[in-house]
């Protein structure tokens, strides 16, 4: 397993892989790899002859008051994990390589998919995501790319972008990996102290309360939202950013919950913003 820092070098490597007839999988990450990332890499290794894991903390998807400078960077541990699972390369470019002086071209996804959920309080975030993924996909040219369903809005936007731009890449969504108490695995979980870590279980717990109501026949969006928000508000360390129930295929608002309806939320636990979701299948 090799760590490649130079764009020209990874281009030569991946072009040779494709010329030799091997399939190529890619797992784009910002590093600080955990069990969730591990599941993506494992899936990529199972499905492809060669696998590239990108480790790049992308500055263009962070807002001015967000945690770019403090975002955990653990390349040595990340490389060890990738090697153990069977990835072939880590692509770890410097920001100056990805965004040299004068860089001015960005990929802007549709407002319909970004002016909702995480996009409301993180303006420009998905522009940064789509821009860096366009660059990574152009550099590496994988056959398949793997994303966790925890970042469900990102997954939907990336699928749309890849289809619209005819990248010819299969975008594979993989299930959320959770701690034993239900908290979704996240690099930002490391920011939580012990009290906050215990409080963070309210995200999953509140979603399951909503699902329980739906399973009992309550299909009213407003009533289910009230149940979910009420559960979160019981936790004194929790502050709701958003809780939304929308059509997962179209991102349209719904009044009545139906098959393929998305429950999605972002909640601050102390100063740490966490996300979770569930797609309802009736």
């Amino acid at each position: 397993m090799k760590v490649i820092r130079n764009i020209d070098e990874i281009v030569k490597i991946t072009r040779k892989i494709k010329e030799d007839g091997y399939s190529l999988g890619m797992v784009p990450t910002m590093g600080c790899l955990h069990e969730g990332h591990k599941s993506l890499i494992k899936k990529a290794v199972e499905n492809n002859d060669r696998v590239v894991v990108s480790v790049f903390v992308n500055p263009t998807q962070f807002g001015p008051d967000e945690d770019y400078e403090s975002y955990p960077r653990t390349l040595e541990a990340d490389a060890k994990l990738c090697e153990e699972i069977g990835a072939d390369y880590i692509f770890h470019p410097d920001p100056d390589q990805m965004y040299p002086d004068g860089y001015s071209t960005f990929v802007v996804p549709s407002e319909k998919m970004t002016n909702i959920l995480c996009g409301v309080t993180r303006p420009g975030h998905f522009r940064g995501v789509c821009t860096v993924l366009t660059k990574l996909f152009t550099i590496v040219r994988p056959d398949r790319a793997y994303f966790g369903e925890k970042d469900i809005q990102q997954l939907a936007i990336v699928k749309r972008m890849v289809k619209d731009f005819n990248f010819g890449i299969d975008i594979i969504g993989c299930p959320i990996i959770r701690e034993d108490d239900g908290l979704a695995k996240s690099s930002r979980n490391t920011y939580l102290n012990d009290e906050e870590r215990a409080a963070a279980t309210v995200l999953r717990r509140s979603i399951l309360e909503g699902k329980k109501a739906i399973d009992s026949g309550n299909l009213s969006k407003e009533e289910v939202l009230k149940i979910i928000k009420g559960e979160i508000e019981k936790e004194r360390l929790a502050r709701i950013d958003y809780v939304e129930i929308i059509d997962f295929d179209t991102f349209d608002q719904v009044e009545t919950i139906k098959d393929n309806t998305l429950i999605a939320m972002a909640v601050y636990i102390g100063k740490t913003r966490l996300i979770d979701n569930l797609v309802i299948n009736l």
Side-chain angles (χ1 to χ4, degrees):
M1 207 281 301
K2 293 183 63 177
V3 177
I4 308 297
R5 298 174 182 270
N6 182 273
I7 290 176
D8 289 341
E9 185 177 357
I10 197 69
V11 166
K12 289 178 183 177
I13 289 169
T14 56
R15 298 302 185 273
K16 183 68 163 56
I17 288 170
K18 302 301 287 293
E19 288 171 4
D20 290 344
Y22 294 115
S23 61
L24 180 60
M26 182 177 189
V27 182
T29 83
M30 293 206 301
C32 193
L33 304 182
H34 51 66
E35 290 295 320
H37 297 109
K38 186 175 179 179
S39 70
L40 304 182
I41 300 167
K42 184 178 179 181
K43 189 73 172 178
V45 169
E46 290 172 353
N47 291 353
N48 300 276
D49 299 315
R50 302 287 185 270
V51 172
V52 174
V53 178
S54 62
V55 174
F56 179 65
V57 183
N58 175 36
T60 65
Q61 68 189 69
F62 288 80
D65 298 321
E66 293 186 330
D67 56 345
Y68 173 69
E69 295 298 335
S70 62
Y71 194 88
R73 292 160 169 84
T74 57
L75 181 62
E76 185 175 343
D78 295 344
K80 183 177 180 181
L81 182 146
C82 287
E83 186 166 28
E84 288 174 353
I85 301 171
D88 299 282
Y89 302 96
I90 285 179
F91 178 45
H92 181 58
D94 291 329
D96 289 346
Q97 274 201 78
M98 296 294 282
Y99 302 108
D101 284 345
Y103 189 90
S104 60
T105 303
F106 295 88
V107 178
V108 182
S110 74
E111 291 184 357
K112 182 178 181 180
M113 299 189 79
T114 59
N115 288 355
I116 193 170
L117 306 182
C118 289
V120 175
T121 53
R122 304 188 74 189
H125 170 72
F126 290 110
R127 182 185 81 154
V129 169
C130 288
T131 298
V132 76
L133 287 174
T134 296
K135 290 179 69 66
L136 289 170
F137 290 160
T138 302
I139 291 165
V140 176
R141 297 190 185 179
D143 298 295
R144 303 174 188 89
Y146 297 78
F147 294 84
E149 292 176 354
K150 180 174 74 69
D151 296 305
I152 197 78
Q153 185 175 12
Q154 171 179 275
L155 176 60
I157 289 170
V158 171
K159 283 186 173 182
R160 181 77 256 174
M161 180 187 78
V162 165
K163 182 177 181 179
D164 289 348
F165 282 175
N166 304 107
F167 274 119
I169 300 169
D170 290 332
I171 302 299
I172 312 297
C174 298
I176 297 171
I177 303 300
R178 299 183 180 276
E179 304 284 0
D180 291 341
D181 59 9
L183 180 65
K185 297 269 190 178
S186 170
S187 302
R188 289 187 169 93
N189 292 349
T190 60
Y191 297 164
L192 303 170
N193 62 34
D194 290 345
E195 185 180 16
E196 291 167 341
R197 174 63 184 77
T201 60
V202 75
L203 278 81
R204 180 62 171 169
R205 190 165 66 249
S206 65
I207 285 179
L208 293 180
E209 285 297 311
K211 185 177 186 300
K212 186 188 299 182
I214 294 167
D215 290 343
S216 298
N218 189 343
L219 302 182
S220 166
K221 168 185 173 177
E222 292 305 319
E223 291 181 18
V224 173
L225 279 175
K226 185 177 180 180
I227 291 168
I228 294 172
K229 289 179 179 180
E231 188 68 23
I232 296 170
E233 288 164 358
K234 293 177 185 177
E235 174 51 64
R236 66 178 183 83
L237 296 180
R239 176 170 58 88
I240 294 172
D241 181 356
Y242 69 78
V243 180
E244 290 276 5
I245 298 178
I246 60 173
D247 185 293
F248 182 46
D249 289 328
T250 64
F251 274 39
D252 288 336
Q253 295 294 327
V254 299
E255 294 302 322
T256 301
I257 293 168
K258 57 185 179 178
D259 199 42
N260 219 34
T261 296
L262 171 67
I263 301 174
M265 65 174 59
V267 177
Y268 284 93
I269 304 296
K271 295 181 179 179
T272 304
R273 183 178 181 277
L274 302 176
I275 59 175
D276 207 338
N277 69 78
L278 178 68
V279 177
I280 298 297
N281 293 305
L282 299 178

